[in-house]
Amino acid sequence: MASVLLAVFVNGKFCKDPNMVSADDFFFPGLNKPGNTSNAQGSKVTPVNVNQLPGLNTLGISLVRIDYAPCGLNPPHTHPRATEVLVVVEGTLFVGFVTSNPADPNVKNKLFTKTLYPGDVFVFPEGLIHFQFNVGKTDAFVFAGLSSQNPGVITIANAVFGSDPPITLDVLTKAFQVDANVINALQAPFK
């Protein structure tokens, strides 16, 4: 009788054969080292999710370190599968999130913001658009826990203005109620 290889597929990842698991599957080095913020946003996210740390599979949790240069931004984004709990270690951040579309079309989306200092904690509810901006004069960094081993991330500007192929001008000019030249300017950095 031929042997059959069975694998368990959980949340987008196959569980590793228990006989092949080692301590390294539960270890991630280096979150003590700052990320490189020499980029257009002035920030660097270092994720520690199931893709970097296989031992997180099925555990429903992950972590990130985010570094910010002065005026550095973690741009508006969302995690479709996770709530985020952020704690400031160094620096001063202006953070916020926007509520989902209200049921009443006469009510606007609400923005919740706060200026955070070392030791402060802020929660970004699952699926809501949120951001962090370093308003201090020095570098800043945070750690954040996420309620999924694979939280996903959708950076709003990248998705809307940097898709391949691009969303048509007709759609974007109507959605944002602006001239095509504005849309072209917003798409240009992504080309």
Side-chain angles (χ1 to χ4, degrees):
M1 183 172 188
S3 64
V4 177
L5 177 63
L6 298 176
V8 178
F9 192 68
V10 180
N11 291 328
K13 294 290 178 184
F14 282 102
C15 290
K16 194 171 186 177
D17 179 340
N19 295 319
M20 303 300 291
V21 172
S22 74
D24 286 340
D25 292 311
F26 301 90
F27 174 74
F28 181 90
L31 281 187
N32 60 319
K33 298 174 186 157
N36 182 356
T37 59
S38 298
N39 55 59
Q41 299 297 338
S43 68
K44 171 62 176 167
V45 176
T46 304
V48 183
N49 59 47
V50 71
N51 296 312
Q52 293 80 29
L53 189 60
L56 290 173
N57 199 23
T58 76
L59 298 182
I61 192 165
S62 59
L63 168 75
V64 297
R65 174 185 171 138
I66 311 170
D67 292 277
Y68 312 82
C71 297
L73 173 68
N74 189 9
H77 63 283
T78 182
H79 302 289
R81 296 180 293 276
T83 291
E84 178 178 339
V85 179
L86 178 141
V87 60
V88 177
V89 179
E90 290 181 7
T92 305
L93 296 179
F94 178 71
V95 304
F97 69 87
V98 180
T99 60
S100 56
N101 294 353
D104 181 347
N106 298 315
V107 176
K108 293 184 176 187
N109 299 71
K110 186 170 182 178
L111 173 64
F112 291 89
T113 63
K114 194 80 174 163
T115 300
L116 304 180
Y117 303 93
D120 289 347
V121 175
F122 198 81
V123 176
F124 302 105
E126 180 175 343
L128 297 185
I129 297 171
H130 60 283
F131 63 88
Q132 303 101 36
F133 182 64
N134 183 0
V135 294
K137 296 182 188 322
T138 62
D139 290 346
F141 84 93
V142 304
F143 288 112
L146 296 115
S147 64
S148 171
Q149 68 268 2
N150 191 14
V153 65
I154 302 167
T155 306
I156 306 307
N158 297 21
V160 173
F161 300 111
S163 67
D164 184 17
I167 299 172
T168 66
L169 282 175
D170 291 339
V171 169
L172 293 177
T173 55
K174 187 162 186 131
F176 289 97
Q177 299 293 295
V178 296
D179 182 82
N181 291 327
V182 173
I183 299 299
N184 287 327
L186 290 168
Q187 289 177 324
F190 297 98
K191 292 182 179 179

